[in-house]
Amino acid sequence: MTHFMLDGFQGHRARFDDLRLIHELCSEIPEKLGLDPVMPPFLIPYYDGVEPEDAGISAFAFLMGGHITVHTFSYRECYFVDLLTPQTMDSERCTQDLLRSLPCEVSNIACFSRNGGAADELATEIDVHSDFGPHYLLDLDGYRGPREQGAIFGLLDSLPQRIGMTPIMRPYVVSTRSEDGEHVVSGMTMIAESHMALHVWPERGIARFDLFSCEFFDAETVLPTIRALLPAERFGETLAVRGSKYTSYQNSREQDVARTRRWVSRLTHSE
């Protein structure tokens, strides 16, 4: 499997709030790359949340055995894209199309294989003072965890609370078969921190899990909890950095943030 990541900084805030543009990206990029979508894009505008700095748009679409996700953070003037697919993809074209639609001054790009081992291509030395957040990748072989739609829904529905994160939707789970008849069950839930996804191939006994968070978490607690819920004979895991050195790129939006905090405070303390 191939996993493509793009982190963009110092972009155009208006584009990061453009629902139609983000919808088009999730629709058109898989098509241009010759990938197989199995659903139309699903978008969640996220404003006036618990953390005003997290305002923006979260979007995803399932591909056959994979997904594309886009998270924009308009206050922070940055965005993050993930594309996971078992098919061959042109990473250079993907990069060009994304940067044409969402141009930015600084971008970090990675494209690597999810073949059951650790993703050695990714930076793993996390600096909580300068980076944006962690991305946990878990590749499972000899997988013995949830396989059916209902069980995967239940797992993704309860997992955010178990690890101290904030769901902003109920899980979305699809069961599909490729042209050659291979069965795959895919689940996704969006959280205020970003997203978590699980793809399971029941007949092959493999699974791929992702947790991307814009908030740092206690890895010594969270990672064992996830591994216990996704048992397997063998696993490869990577806790990678997203938005490396983000704080050196970010632009301050103190007035906007202060105004939103006042609004959230009124809602919180109203009777």
Side-chain angles (χ1 to χ4, degrees):
M1 294 191 71
T2 300
H3 195 141
F4 171 89
M5 296 178 174
L6 187 149
D7 305 348
F9 310 97
Q10 297 179 4
H12 300 285
R13 186 179 180 192
R15 295 199 180 199
F16 296 160
D17 287 326
D18 190 333
L19 285 165
R20 185 165 185 173
L21 173 62
I22 303 304
H23 185 279
E24 288 176 352
L25 280 177
C26 291
S27 296
E28 294 178 1
I29 285 183
E31 180 180 349
K32 290 178 179 179
L33 296 175
L35 306 179
D36 297 326
V38 297
M39 62 170 282
F42 188 100
L43 280 73
I44 301 179
Y46 186 69
Y47 298 94
D48 293 327
V50 176
E51 295 293 336
E53 296 92 335
D54 292 343
I57 299 169
S58 287
F60 74 93
F62 284 129
L63 312 176
M64 179 61 67
H67 63 260
I68 179 172
T69 60
V70 179
H71 299 284
T72 70
F73 297 85
S74 53
Y75 280 163
R76 303 175 189 252
E77 296 182 349
C78 63
Y79 70 99
F80 300 85
V81 176
D82 284 87
L83 197 157
L84 177 67
T85 177
Q87 298 177 262
T88 302
M89 64 164 286
D90 184 341
S91 60
E92 290 187 7
R93 179 167 186 181
C94 186
T95 300
Q96 292 170 359
D97 288 343
L98 284 168
L99 293 179
R100 186 179 301 115
S101 297
L102 294 173
C104 55
E105 294 295 324
V106 181
S107 60
N108 298 330
I109 299 160
C111 189
F112 54 95
S113 296
R114 297 280 299 271
N115 56 10
D120 296 330
E121 301 88 341
L122 300 179
T124 56
E125 294 185 9
I126 295 175
D127 184 342
V128 298
H129 301 294
S130 67
D131 299 334
F132 188 84
H135 193 146
Y136 180 49
L137 312 173
L138 183 60
D139 294 358
L140 302 147
D141 295 329
Y143 177 67
R144 302 190 303 271
R147 295 166 176 251
E148 303 301 325
Q149 281 181 272
I152 291 174
F153 179 95
L155 170 72
L156 294 176
D157 201 33
S158 63
L159 184 55
Q161 292 91 339
R162 291 189 186 199
I163 59 176
M165 297 188 179
T166 309
I168 58 175
M169 62 171 279
R170 304 298 295 278
Y172 199 115
V173 185
V174 298
S175 176
T176 57
R177 287 191 179 273
S178 62
E179 291 183 358
D180 60 6
E182 186 173 42
H183 184 206
V184 58
V185 185
S186 297
M188 173 81 68
T189 191
M190 290 290 174
I191 52 179
E193 294 78 9
S194 284
H195 73 265
M196 54 181 67
L198 176 65
H199 302 279
V200 178
W201 288 259
E203 294 155 1
R204 294 168 56 191
I206 65 172
R208 298 293 182 262
F209 175 84
D210 287 83
L211 167 61
F212 174 35
S213 173
C214 63
E215 301 289 340
F216 293 96
F217 51 76
D218 181 2
E220 293 184 359
T221 300
V222 170
L223 304 195
T225 299
I226 294 172
R227 289 195 299 267
L229 294 169
L230 299 172
E233 295 174 7
R234 299 172 302 281
F235 67 88
E237 63 179 349
T238 304
L239 185 62
V241 176
R242 298 300 295 269
S244 179
K245 299 181 176 59
Y246 155 74
T247 55
S248 65
Y249 306 135
Q250 72 178 115
N251 291 322
S252 175
R253 291 282 182 179
E254 294 180 1
Q255 291 183 345
D256 293 332
V257 170
R259 182 172 58 251
T260 304
R261 285 195 186 280
R262 288 195 298 271
W263 174 244
V264 172
S265 178
R266 293 191 192 105
L267 291 176
T268 303
H269 294 94
S270 63
E271 296 182 355

